[in-house]
PDB file of all heavy atoms in Angstrom:
ATOM      1  N   LYS A   1       9.483   0.587   8.336  1.00 90.00           N
ATOM      2  CA  LYS A   1       9.496  -0.514   7.453  1.00 90.00           C
ATOM      3  C   LYS A   1       8.445  -0.395   6.339  1.00 90.00           C
ATOM      4  O   LYS A   1       8.752  -0.625   5.155  1.00 90.00           O
ATOM      5  CB  LYS A   1       9.271  -1.843   8.204  1.00 90.00           C
ATOM      6  CG  LYS A   1       9.162  -3.055   7.364  1.00 90.00           C
ATOM      7  CD  LYS A   1       9.032  -4.298   8.338  1.00 90.00           C
ATOM      8  CE  LYS A   1       8.806  -5.581   7.485  1.00 90.00           C
ATOM      9  NZ  LYS A   1       7.462  -5.683   6.904  1.00 90.00           N
ATOM     10  N   VAL A   2       7.297   0.026   6.727  1.00 88.00           N
ATOM     11  CA  VAL A   2       6.142   0.286   5.716  1.00 88.00           C
ATOM     12  C   VAL A   2       6.663   1.319   4.733  1.00 88.00           C
ATOM     13  O   VAL A   2       6.469   1.103   3.506  1.00 88.00           O
ATOM     14  CB  VAL A   2       4.873   0.618   6.484  1.00 88.00           C
ATOM     15  CG1 VAL A   2       3.829   1.024   5.461  1.00 88.00           C
ATOM     16  CG2 VAL A   2       4.336  -0.517   7.310  1.00 88.00           C
ATOM     17  N   ILE A   3       7.135   2.444   5.239  1.00 91.00           N
ATOM     18  CA  ILE A   3       7.496   3.496   4.301  1.00 91.00           C
ATOM     19  C   ILE A   3       8.539   3.031   3.345  1.00 91.00           C
ATOM     20  O   ILE A   3       8.499   3.316   2.133  1.00 91.00           O
ATOM     21  CB  ILE A   3       7.934   4.730   5.134  1.00 91.00           C
ATOM     22  CG1 ILE A   3       6.677   5.351   5.857  1.00 91.00           C
ATOM     23  CG2 ILE A   3       8.634   5.789   4.266  1.00 91.00           C
ATOM     24  CD1 ILE A   3       7.106   6.460   6.869  1.00 91.00           C
ATOM     25  N   GLY A   4       9.538   2.324   3.884  1.00 93.00           N
ATOM     26  CA  GLY A   4      10.572   1.818   3.008  1.00 93.00           C
ATOM     27  C   GLY A   4      10.105   0.848   1.948  1.00 93.00           C
ATOM     28  O   GLY A   4      10.432   0.982   0.743  1.00 93.00           O
ATOM     29  N   GLU A   5       9.166   0.010   2.304  1.00 94.00           N
ATOM     30  CA  GLU A   5       8.606  -0.893   1.317  1.00 94.00           C
ATOM     31  C   GLU A   5       7.706  -0.128   0.249  1.00 94.00           C
ATOM     32  O   GLU A   5       7.673  -0.503  -0.875  1.00 94.00           O
ATOM     33  CB  GLU A   5       7.877  -1.991   2.029  1.00 94.00           C
ATOM     34  CG  GLU A   5       8.754  -2.968   2.768  1.00 94.00           C
ATOM     35  CD  GLU A   5       8.022  -4.129   3.404  1.00 94.00           C
ATOM     36  OE1 GLU A   5       6.805  -4.321   3.042  1.00 94.00           O
ATOM     37  OE2 GLU A   5       8.579  -4.896   4.244  1.00 94.00           O
ATOM     38  N   LEU A   6       6.974   0.804   0.768  1.00 94.00           N
ATOM     39  CA  LEU A   6       6.125   1.621  -0.132  1.00 94.00           C
ATOM     40  C   LEU A   6       6.963   2.354  -1.184  1.00 94.00           C
ATOM     41  O   LEU A   6       6.753   2.450  -2.375  1.00 94.00           O
ATOM     42  CB  LEU A   6       5.230   2.520   0.568  1.00 94.00           C
ATOM     43  CG  LEU A   6       4.175   1.835   1.390  1.00 94.00           C
ATOM     44  CD1 LEU A   6       3.371   2.914   2.133  1.00 94.00           C
ATOM     45  CD2 LEU A   6       3.190   1.063   0.573  1.00 94.00           C
ATOM     46  N   LYS A   7       8.106   2.980  -0.688  1.00 95.00           N
ATOM     47  CA  LYS A   7       8.928   3.670  -1.545  1.00 95.00           C
ATOM     48  C   LYS A   7       9.610   2.694  -2.620  1.00 95.00           C
ATOM     49  O   LYS A   7       9.714   3.091  -3.887  1.00 95.00           O
ATOM     50  CB  LYS A   7      10.121   4.363  -0.828  1.00 95.00           C
ATOM     51  CG  LYS A   7       9.661   5.607   0.021  1.00 95.00           C
ATOM     52  CD  LYS A   7      10.782   6.175   0.798  1.00 95.00           C
ATOM     53  CE  LYS A   7      10.380   7.461   1.456  1.00 95.00           C
ATOM     54  NZ  LYS A   7      11.489   8.137   2.314  1.00 95.00           N
ATOM     55  N   ALA A   8      10.015   1.590  -2.170  1.00 95.00           N
ATOM     56  CA  ALA A   8      10.572   0.575  -3.117  1.00 95.00           C
ATOM     57  C   ALA A   8       9.511   0.189  -4.135  1.00 95.00           C
ATOM     58  O   ALA A   8       9.850   0.041  -5.370  1.00 95.00           O
ATOM     59  CB  ALA A   8      11.078  -0.647  -2.378  1.00 95.00           C
ATOM     60  N   ALA A   9       8.282  -0.015  -3.759  1.00 95.00           N
ATOM     61  CA  ALA A   9       7.212  -0.375  -4.696  1.00 95.00           C
ATOM     62  C   ALA A   9       6.955   0.694  -5.681  1.00 95.00           C
ATOM     63  O   ALA A   9       6.689   0.516  -6.836  1.00 95.00           O
ATOM     64  CB  ALA A   9       5.918  -0.687  -3.893  1.00 95.00           C
ATOM     65  N   ILE A  10       6.997   1.938  -5.202  1.00 96.00           N
ATOM     66  CA  ILE A  10       6.766   3.117  -6.040  1.00 96.00           C
ATOM     67  C   ILE A  10       7.890   3.180  -7.136  1.00 96.00           C
ATOM     68  O   ILE A  10       7.633   3.438  -8.325  1.00 96.00           O
ATOM     69  CB  ILE A  10       6.705   4.459  -5.196  1.00 96.00           C
ATOM     70  CG1 ILE A  10       5.410   4.484  -4.487  1.00 96.00           C
ATOM     71  CG2 ILE A  10       6.866   5.659  -6.121  1.00 96.00           C
ATOM     72  CD1 ILE A  10       5.362   5.534  -3.339  1.00 96.00           C
ATOM     73  N   LEU A  11       9.089   2.967  -6.748  1.00 96.00           N
ATOM     74  CA  LEU A  11      10.259   2.997  -7.669  1.00 96.00           C
ATOM     75  C   LEU A  11      10.103   1.871  -8.649  1.00 96.00           C
ATOM     76  O   LEU A  11      10.441   1.998  -9.793  1.00 96.00           O
ATOM     77  CB  LEU A  11      11.557   2.863  -6.911  1.00 96.00           C
ATOM     78  CG  LEU A  11      11.955   4.149  -6.113  1.00 96.00           C
ATOM     79  CD1 LEU A  11      13.215   3.819  -5.276  1.00 96.00           C
ATOM     80  CD2 LEU A  11      12.078   5.327  -6.924  1.00 96.00           C
ATOM     81  N   ARG A  12       9.628   0.742  -8.168  1.00 95.00           N
ATOM     82  CA  ARG A  12       9.548  -0.472  -9.098  1.00 95.00           C
ATOM     83  C   ARG A  12       8.342  -0.310 -10.027  1.00 95.00           C
ATOM     84  O   ARG A  12       8.472  -0.573 -11.255  1.00 95.00           O
ATOM     85  CB  ARG A  12       9.244  -1.692  -8.224  1.00 95.00           C
ATOM     86  CG  ARG A  12       9.207  -2.929  -9.019  1.00 95.00           C
ATOM     87  CD  ARG A  12       9.094  -4.153  -8.063  1.00 95.00           C
ATOM     88  NE  ARG A  12       7.858  -4.136  -7.274  1.00 95.00           N
ATOM     89  CZ  ARG A  12       7.854  -3.914  -5.910  1.00 95.00           C
ATOM     90  NH1 ARG A  12       8.944  -3.698  -5.255  1.00 95.00           N
ATOM     91  NH2 ARG A  12       6.718  -3.909  -5.242  1.00 95.00           N
ATOM     92  N   GLU A  13       7.146   0.222  -9.542  1.00 94.00           N
ATOM     93  CA  GLU A  13       5.978   0.364 -10.396  1.00 94.00           C
ATOM     94  C   GLU A  13       5.927   1.610 -11.175  1.00 94.00           C
ATOM     95  O   GLU A  13       5.218   1.625 -12.244  1.00 94.00           O
ATOM     96  CB  GLU A  13       4.806   0.254  -9.529  1.00 94.00           C
ATOM     97  CG  GLU A  13       4.623  -1.089  -8.739  1.00 94.00           C
ATOM     98  CD  GLU A  13       4.320  -2.311  -9.657  1.00 94.00           C
ATOM     99  OE1 GLU A  13       3.867  -2.051 -10.811  1.00 94.00           O
ATOM    100  OE2 GLU A  13       4.526  -3.444  -9.192  1.00 94.00           O
ATOM    101  N   LYS A  14       6.536   2.635 -10.787  1.00 95.00           N
ATOM    102  CA  LYS A  14       6.556   3.907 -11.446  1.00 95.00           C
ATOM    103  C   LYS A  14       5.143   4.382 -11.751  1.00 95.00           C
ATOM    104  O   LYS A  14       4.730   4.452 -12.980  1.00 95.00           O
ATOM    105  CB  LYS A  14       7.386   3.843 -12.731  1.00 95.00           C
ATOM    106  CG  LYS A  14       8.931   3.585 -12.460  1.00 95.00           C
ATOM    107  CD  LYS A  14       9.702   3.563 -13.804  1.00 95.00           C
ATOM    108  CE  LYS A  14      11.157   3.475 -13.506  1.00 95.00           C
ATOM    109  NZ  LYS A  14      11.645   2.313 -12.718  1.00 95.00           N
ATOM    110  N   PRO A  15       4.317   4.553 -10.833  1.00 96.00           N
ATOM    111  CA  PRO A  15       2.952   5.017 -11.075  1.00 96.00           C
ATOM    112  C   PRO A  15       2.839   6.283 -11.826  1.00 96.00           C
ATOM    113  O   PRO A  15       3.722   7.187 -11.751  1.00 96.00           O
ATOM    114  CB  PRO A  15       2.313   5.099  -9.734  1.00 96.00           C
ATOM    115  CG  PRO A  15       3.479   5.340  -8.768  1.00 96.00           C
ATOM    116  CD  PRO A  15       4.611   4.583  -9.378  1.00 96.00           C
ATOM    117  N   ASP A  16       1.690   6.457 -12.612  1.00 96.00           N
ATOM    118  CA  ASP A  16       1.490   7.686 -13.336  1.00 96.00           C
ATOM    119  C   ASP A  16       0.959   8.792 -12.463  1.00 96.00           C
ATOM    120  O   ASP A  16       1.074   9.955 -12.815  1.00 96.00           O
ATOM    121  CB  ASP A  16       0.530   7.387 -14.496  1.00 96.00           C
ATOM    122  CG  ASP A  16       1.135   6.370 -15.438  1.00 96.00           C
ATOM    123  OD1 ASP A  16       1.912   6.756 -16.265  1.00 96.00           O
ATOM    124  OD2 ASP A  16       0.728   5.168 -15.385  1.00 96.00           O
ATOM    125  N   ALA A  17       0.338   8.404 -11.297  1.00 97.00           N
ATOM    126  CA  ALA A  17      -0.201   9.367 -10.411  1.00 97.00           C
ATOM    127  C   ALA A  17      -0.383   8.698  -9.114  1.00 97.00           C
ATOM    128  O   ALA A  17      -0.426   7.440  -8.961  1.00 97.00           O
ATOM    129  CB  ALA A  17      -1.504   9.979 -10.905  1.00 97.00           C
ATOM    130  N   ALA A  18      -0.483   9.563  -8.037  1.00 97.00           N
ATOM    131  CA  ALA A  18      -0.725   8.997  -6.631  1.00 97.00           C
ATOM    132  C   ALA A  18      -1.984   9.714  -6.105  1.00 97.00           C
ATOM    133  O   ALA A  18      -2.151  10.895  -6.196  1.00 97.00           O
ATOM    134  CB  ALA A  18       0.494   9.245  -5.786  1.00 97.00           C
ATOM    135  N   LEU A  19      -2.836   8.847  -5.540  1.00 97.00           N
ATOM    136  CA  LEU A  19      -4.006   9.373  -4.728  1.00 97.00           C
ATOM    137  C   LEU A  19      -3.772   9.133  -3.255  1.00 97.00           C
ATOM    138  O   LEU A  19      -3.726   7.955  -2.835  1.00 97.00           O
ATOM    139  CB  LEU A  19      -5.292   8.711  -5.189  1.00 97.00           C
ATOM    140  CG  LEU A  19      -6.590   8.986  -4.388  1.00 97.00           C
ATOM    141  CD1 LEU A  19      -6.948  10.497  -4.609  1.00 97.00           C
ATOM    142  CD2 LEU A  19      -7.685   8.099  -4.854  1.00 97.00           C
ATOM    143  N   LEU A  20      -3.558  10.192  -2.515  1.00 96.00           N
ATOM    144  CA  LEU A  20      -3.320  10.100  -1.054  1.00 96.00           C
ATOM    145  C   LEU A  20      -4.582  10.486  -0.327  1.00 96.00           C
ATOM    146  O   LEU A  20      -5.192  11.605  -0.625  1.00 96.00           O
ATOM    147  CB  LEU A  20      -2.161  10.978  -0.630  1.00 96.00           C
ATOM    148  CG  LEU A  20      -0.914  10.822  -1.393  1.00 96.00           C
ATOM    149  CD1 LEU A  20       0.191  11.667  -0.854  1.00 96.00           C
ATOM    150  CD2 LEU A  20      -0.487   9.378  -1.447  1.00 96.00           C
ATOM    151  N   VAL A  21      -5.123   9.746   0.562  1.00 94.00           N
ATOM    152  CA  VAL A  21      -6.384   9.969   1.210  1.00 94.00           C
ATOM    153  C   VAL A  21      -6.189  10.082   2.762  1.00 94.00           C
ATOM    154  O   VAL A  21      -5.815   9.193   3.394  1.00 94.00           O
ATOM    155  CB  VAL A  21      -7.364   8.813   0.922  1.00 94.00           C
ATOM    156  CG1 VAL A  21      -8.789   9.154   1.511  1.00 94.00           C
ATOM    157  CG2 VAL A  21      -7.438   8.552  -0.575  1.00 94.00           C
ATOM    158  N   ASP A  22      -6.404  11.406   3.155  1.00 88.00           N
ATOM    159  CA  ASP A  22      -6.345  11.631   4.632  1.00 88.00           C
ATOM    160  C   ASP A  22      -5.031  11.172   5.220  1.00 88.00           C
ATOM    161  O   ASP A  22      -4.035  11.415   4.660  1.00 88.00           O
ATOM    162  CB  ASP A  22      -7.525  11.031   5.332  1.00 88.00           C
ATOM    163  CG  ASP A  22      -7.866  11.642   6.685  1.00 88.00           C
ATOM    164  OD1 ASP A  22      -7.173  12.565   7.126  1.00 88.00           O
ATOM    165  OD2 ASP A  22      -8.869  11.212   7.282  1.00 88.00           O
ATOM    166  N   TYR A  23      -4.990  10.488   6.348  1.00 85.00           N
ATOM    167  CA  TYR A  23      -3.791   9.793   6.943  1.00 85.00           C
ATOM    168  C   TYR A  23      -2.499  10.643   6.801  1.00 85.00           C
ATOM    169  O   TYR A  23      -1.547  10.223   6.197  1.00 85.00           O
ATOM    170  CB  TYR A  23      -3.652   8.477   6.224  1.00 85.00           C
ATOM    171  CG  TYR A  23      -2.999   7.402   7.072  1.00 85.00           C
ATOM    172  CD1 TYR A  23      -3.597   6.952   8.245  1.00 85.00           C
ATOM    173  CD2 TYR A  23      -1.830   6.813   6.707  1.00 85.00           C
ATOM    174  CE1 TYR A  23      -2.978   5.951   8.974  1.00 85.00           C
ATOM    175  CE2 TYR A  23      -1.185   5.834   7.469  1.00 85.00           C
ATOM    176  CZ  TYR A  23      -1.827   5.409   8.622  1.00 85.00           C
ATOM    177  OH  TYR A  23      -1.215   4.416   9.367  1.00 85.00           O
ATOM    178  N   PRO A  24      -2.528  11.867   7.339  1.00 84.00           N
ATOM    179  CA  PRO A  24      -1.459  12.836   6.970  1.00 84.00           C
ATOM    180  C   PRO A  24      -0.070  12.470   7.415  1.00 84.00           C
ATOM    181  O   PRO A  24       0.904  12.805   6.731  1.00 84.00           O
ATOM    182  CB  PRO A  24      -1.936  14.132   7.617  1.00 84.00           C
ATOM    183  CG  PRO A  24      -2.827  13.629   8.741  1.00 84.00           C
ATOM    184  CD  PRO A  24      -3.490  12.450   8.259  1.00 84.00           C
ATOM    185  N   GLY A  25       0.133  11.815   8.573  1.00 82.00           N
ATOM    186  CA  GLY A  25       1.461  11.524   9.039  1.00 82.00           C
ATOM    187  C   GLY A  25       2.298  10.796   8.012  1.00 82.00           C
ATOM    188  O   GLY A  25       3.445  11.182   7.748  1.00 82.00           O
ATOM    189  N   MET A  26       1.774   9.720   7.414  1.00 88.00           N
ATOM    190  CA  MET A  26       2.431   8.950   6.415  1.00 88.00           C
ATOM    191  C   MET A  26       2.264   9.585   5.015  1.00 88.00           C
ATOM    192  O   MET A  26       3.276   9.636   4.220  1.00 88.00           O
ATOM    193  CB  MET A  26       2.024   7.544   6.374  1.00 88.00           C
ATOM    194  CG  MET A  26       2.821   6.595   5.423  1.00 88.00           C
ATOM    195  SD  MET A  26       2.402   4.885   5.603  1.00 88.00           S
ATOM    196  CE  MET A  26       3.112   4.578   7.183  1.00 88.00           C
ATOM    197  N   ASN A  27       1.116  10.089   4.710  1.00 91.00           N
ATOM    198  CA  ASN A  27       0.805  10.606   3.390  1.00 91.00           C
ATOM    199  C   ASN A  27       1.693  11.799   3.014  1.00 91.00           C
ATOM    200  O   ASN A  27       2.166  11.913   1.877  1.00 91.00           O
ATOM    201  CB  ASN A  27      -0.626  10.885   3.185  1.00 91.00           C
ATOM    202  CG  ASN A  27      -1.413   9.657   2.727  1.00 91.00           C
ATOM    203  OD1 ASN A  27      -0.859   8.791   2.052  1.00 91.00           O
ATOM    204  ND2 ASN A  27      -2.697   9.729   2.983  1.00 91.00           N
ATOM    205  N   LEU A  28       1.866  12.692   3.943  1.00 90.00           N
ATOM    206  CA  LEU A  28       2.721  13.881   3.615  1.00 90.00           C
ATOM    207  C   LEU A  28       4.189  13.484   3.441  1.00 90.00           C
ATOM    208  O   LEU A  28       4.939  14.106   2.638  1.00 90.00           O
ATOM    209  CB  LEU A  28       2.623  14.945   4.678  1.00 90.00           C
ATOM    210  CG  LEU A  28       1.224  15.643   4.659  1.00 90.00           C
ATOM    211  CD1 LEU A  28       1.123  16.685   5.880  1.00 90.00           C
ATOM    212  CD2 LEU A  28       1.008  16.302   3.325  1.00 90.00           C
ATOM    213  N   HIS A  29       4.647  12.481   4.199  1.00 90.00           N
ATOM    214  CA  HIS A  29       5.973  11.933   4.020  1.00 90.00           C
ATOM    215  C   HIS A  29       6.130  11.360   2.622  1.00 90.00           C
ATOM    216  O   HIS A  29       7.074  11.645   1.920  1.00 90.00           O
ATOM    217  CB  HIS A  29       6.325  10.888   5.046  1.00 90.00           C
ATOM    218  CG  HIS A  29       7.767  10.391   5.011  1.00 90.00           C
ATOM    219  ND1 HIS A  29       8.786  10.971   5.708  1.00 90.00           N
ATOM    220  CD2 HIS A  29       8.291   9.430   4.235  1.00 90.00           C
ATOM    221  CE1 HIS A  29       9.888  10.333   5.378  1.00 90.00           C
ATOM    222  NE2 HIS A  29       9.643   9.332   4.546  1.00 90.00           N
ATOM    223  N   LEU A  30       5.147  10.561   2.190  1.00 94.00           N
ATOM    224  CA  LEU A  30       5.169   9.919   0.934  1.00 94.00           C
ATOM    225  C   LEU A  30       5.012  10.973  -0.178  1.00 94.00           C
ATOM    226  O   LEU A  30       5.544  10.780  -1.321  1.00 94.00           O
ATOM    227  CB  LEU A  30       4.101   8.841   0.764  1.00 94.00           C
ATOM    228  CG  LEU A  30       4.559   7.465   1.080  1.00 94.00           C
ATOM    229  CD1 LEU A  30       5.523   6.913   0.044  1.00 94.00           C
ATOM    230  CD2 LEU A  30       5.103   7.288   2.464  1.00 94.00           C
ATOM    231  N   ALA A  31       4.184  11.996   0.062  1.00 95.00           N
ATOM    232  CA  ALA A  31       4.047  13.049  -0.929  1.00 95.00           C
ATOM    233  C   ALA A  31       5.358  13.697  -1.370  1.00 95.00           C
ATOM    234  O   ALA A  31       5.602  13.911  -2.524  1.00 95.00           O
ATOM    235  CB  ALA A  31       3.082  14.155  -0.396  1.00 95.00           C
ATOM    236  N   ALA A  32       6.194  13.917  -0.358  1.00 93.00           N
ATOM    237  CA  ALA A  32       7.526  14.515  -0.728  1.00 93.00           C
ATOM    238  C   ALA A  32       8.354  13.570  -1.581  1.00 93.00           C
ATOM    239  O   ALA A  32       9.034  13.960  -2.557  1.00 93.00           O
ATOM    240  CB  ALA A  32       8.253  14.886   0.588  1.00 93.00           C
ATOM    241  N   PHE A  33       8.299  12.241  -1.272  1.00 96.00           N
ATOM    242  CA  PHE A  33       9.003  11.260  -2.087  1.00 96.00           C
ATOM    243  C   PHE A  33       8.469  11.110  -3.416  1.00 96.00           C
ATOM    244  O   PHE A  33       9.215  11.157  -4.456  1.00 96.00           O
ATOM    245  CB  PHE A  33       8.933   9.941  -1.335  1.00 96.00           C
ATOM    246  CG  PHE A  33       9.589   8.813  -2.098  1.00 96.00           C
ATOM    247  CD1 PHE A  33      11.029   8.662  -2.073  1.00 96.00           C
ATOM    248  CD2 PHE A  33       8.848   7.948  -2.843  1.00 96.00           C
ATOM    249  CE1 PHE A  33      11.610   7.688  -2.839  1.00 96.00           C
ATOM    250  CE2 PHE A  33       9.502   6.917  -3.559  1.00 96.00           C
ATOM    251  CZ  PHE A  33      10.884   6.746  -3.543  1.00 96.00           C
ATOM    252  N   LEU A  34       7.174  11.192  -3.564  1.00 96.00           N
ATOM    253  CA  LEU A  34       6.501  11.077  -4.850  1.00 96.00           C
ATOM    254  C   LEU A  34       6.883  12.246  -5.747  1.00 96.00           C
ATOM    255  O   LEU A  34       7.136  12.196  -6.972  1.00 96.00           O
ATOM    256  CB  LEU A  34       5.002  10.938  -4.671  1.00 96.00           C
ATOM    257  CG  LEU A  34       4.522   9.585  -4.133  1.00 96.00           C
ATOM    258  CD1 LEU A  34       3.121   9.779  -3.613  1.00 96.00           C
ATOM    259  CD2 LEU A  34       4.466   8.552  -5.207  1.00 96.00           C
ATOM    260  N   LYS A  35       6.824  13.427  -5.114  1.00 95.00           N
ATOM    261  CA  LYS A  35       7.157  14.647  -5.840  1.00 95.00           C
ATOM    262  C   LYS A  35       8.591  14.584  -6.429  1.00 95.00           C
ATOM    263  O   LYS A  35       8.714  15.008  -7.572  1.00 95.00           O
ATOM    264  CB  LYS A  35       6.964  15.872  -4.907  1.00 95.00           C
ATOM    265  CG  LYS A  35       7.069  17.194  -5.598  1.00 95.00           C
ATOM    266  CD  LYS A  35       5.886  17.481  -6.437  1.00 95.00           C
ATOM    267  CE  LYS A  35       5.906  18.880  -6.964  1.00 95.00           C
ATOM    268  NZ  LYS A  35       4.720  19.183  -7.837  1.00 95.00           N
ATOM    269  N   LYS A  36       9.515  14.104  -5.632  1.00 95.00           N
ATOM    270  CA  LYS A  36      10.894  13.963  -6.097  1.00 95.00           C
ATOM    271  C   LYS A  36      11.040  13.047  -7.321  1.00 95.00           C
ATOM    272  O   LYS A  36      11.970  13.161  -8.180  1.00 95.00           O
ATOM    273  CB  LYS A  36      11.853  13.493  -4.995  1.00 95.00           C
ATOM    274  CG  LYS A  36      12.075  14.549  -3.972  1.00 95.00           C
ATOM    275  CD  LYS A  36      12.962  13.952  -2.768  1.00 95.00           C
ATOM    276  CE  LYS A  36      13.227  15.017  -1.771  1.00 95.00           C
ATOM    277  NZ  LYS A  36      14.090  14.495  -0.653  1.00 95.00           N
ATOM    278  N   GLN A  37      10.101  12.081  -7.405  1.00 95.00           N
ATOM    279  CA  GLN A  37      10.153  11.122  -8.497  1.00 95.00           C
ATOM    280  C   GLN A  37       9.332  11.654  -9.675  1.00 95.00           C
ATOM    281  O   GLN A  37       9.312  10.964 -10.690  1.00 95.00           O
ATOM    282  CB  GLN A  37       9.496   9.773  -8.088  1.00 95.00           C
ATOM    283  CG  GLN A  37      10.052   9.190  -6.754  1.00 95.00           C
ATOM    284  CD  GLN A  37      11.599   9.121  -6.744  1.00 95.00           C
ATOM    285  OE1 GLN A  37      12.182   8.667  -7.735  1.00 95.00           O
ATOM    286  NE2 GLN A  37      12.179   9.535  -5.676  1.00 95.00           N
ATOM    287  N   GLY A  38       8.867  12.880  -9.564  1.00 96.00           N
ATOM    288  CA  GLY A  38       8.051  13.443 -10.694  1.00 96.00           C
ATOM    289  C   GLY A  38       6.657  12.785 -10.907  1.00 96.00           C
ATOM    290  O   GLY A  38       6.105  12.915 -11.959  1.00 96.00           O
ATOM    291  N   ILE A  39       6.123  12.249  -9.778  1.00 97.00           N
ATOM    292  CA  ILE A  39       4.815  11.654  -9.841  1.00 97.00           C
ATOM    293  C   ILE A  39       3.799  12.613  -9.312  1.00 97.00           C
ATOM    294  O   ILE A  39       3.916  13.120  -8.215  1.00 97.00           O
ATOM    295  CB  ILE A  39       4.822  10.323  -9.045  1.00 97.00           C
ATOM    296  CG1 ILE A  39       5.793   9.306  -9.583  1.00 97.00           C
ATOM    297  CG2 ILE A  39       3.436   9.727  -9.036  1.00 97.00           C
ATOM    298  CD1 ILE A  39       6.136   8.177  -8.704  1.00 97.00           C
ATOM    299  N   PRO A  40       2.774  12.925 -10.168  1.00 97.00           N
ATOM    300  CA  PRO A  40       1.721  13.846  -9.619  1.00 97.00           C
ATOM    301  C   PRO A  40       1.049  13.372  -8.386  1.00 97.00           C
ATOM    302  O   PRO A  40       0.661  12.234  -8.333  1.00 97.00           O
ATOM    303  CB  PRO A  40       0.845  13.937 -10.833  1.00 97.00           C
ATOM    304  CG  PRO A  40       1.513  13.549 -12.002  1.00 97.00           C
ATOM    305  CD  PRO A  40       2.536  12.528 -11.557  1.00 97.00           C
ATOM    306  N   VAL A  41       0.829  14.265  -7.443  1.00 97.00           N
ATOM    307  CA  VAL A  41       0.267  13.924  -6.118  1.00 97.00           C
ATOM    308  C   VAL A  41      -1.156  14.566  -6.020  1.00 97.00           C
ATOM    309  O   VAL A  41      -1.202  15.793  -6.045  1.00 97.00           O
ATOM    310  CB  VAL A  41       1.172  14.409  -4.999  1.00 97.00           C
ATOM    311  CG1 VAL A  41       0.441  14.125  -3.638  1.00 97.00           C
ATOM    312  CG2 VAL A  41       2.490  13.682  -5.007  1.00 97.00           C
ATOM    313  N   ILE A  42      -2.145  13.762  -5.961  1.00 97.00           N
ATOM    314  CA  ILE A  42      -3.534  14.289  -5.752  1.00 97.00           C
ATOM    315  C   ILE A  42      -3.853  13.920  -4.323  1.00 97.00           C
ATOM    316  O   ILE A  42      -3.896  12.711  -3.951  1.00 97.00           O
ATOM    317  CB  ILE A  42      -4.520  13.571  -6.728  1.00 97.00           C
ATOM    318  CG1 ILE A  42      -4.162  13.998  -8.169  1.00 97.00           C
ATOM    319  CG2 ILE A  42      -5.920  14.049  -6.421  1.00 97.00           C
ATOM    320  CD1 ILE A  42      -3.279  13.035  -8.904  1.00 97.00           C
ATOM    321  N   TYR A  43      -4.093  14.877  -3.501  1.00 96.00           N
ATOM    322  CA  TYR A  43      -4.387  14.650  -2.026  1.00 96.00           C
ATOM    323  C   TYR A  43      -5.912  14.873  -1.837  1.00 96.00           C
ATOM    324  O   TYR A  43      -6.428  16.021  -2.072  1.00 96.00           O
ATOM    325  CB  TYR A  43      -3.644  15.656  -1.164  1.00 96.00           C
ATOM    326  CG  TYR A  43      -3.331  15.035   0.227  1.00 96.00           C
ATOM    327  CD1 TYR A  43      -2.105  14.888   0.799  1.00 96.00           C
ATOM    328  CD2 TYR A  43      -4.466  14.656   1.061  1.00 96.00           C
ATOM    329  CE1 TYR A  43      -1.890  14.391   2.025  1.00 96.00           C
ATOM    330  CE2 TYR A  43      -4.294  14.130   2.308  1.00 96.00           C
ATOM    331  CZ  TYR A  43      -2.961  13.983   2.750  1.00 96.00           C
ATOM    332  OH  TYR A  43      -2.753  13.413   4.028  1.00 96.00           O
TER     333      TYR A  43
END
C-alpha cells in the first residue's frame, strides 16, 4: 500500500530528483520506478 501511494505521489508531483537514504528494501524498489520515470536517483 505504501509503495503504491508513493508511486502515485511521484507521478503526481513529478519531482526533479530523488534522495534515497539507506532503507534498501523499499528504496531499491522505488529506485527502479523513479528511473523509469526519468527522475535522477541519488542514493
Side-chain angles (χ1 to χ4, degrees):
K1 175 176 177 286
V2 172
I3 289 171
E5 292 185 9
L6 292 178
K7 287 180 177 179
I10 289 166
L11 292 174
R12 182 175 63 251
E13 299 290 341
K14 297 181 173 57
D16 298 282
L19 175 65
L20 308 182
V21 185
D22 203 0
Y23 208 63
M26 184 171 292
N27 271 334
L28 287 176
H29 183 91
L30 265 295
F33 177 78
L34 289 158
K35 189 71 172 178
K36 287 181 182 178
Q37 309 309 314
I39 299 167
V41 175
I42 297 93
Y43 207 125

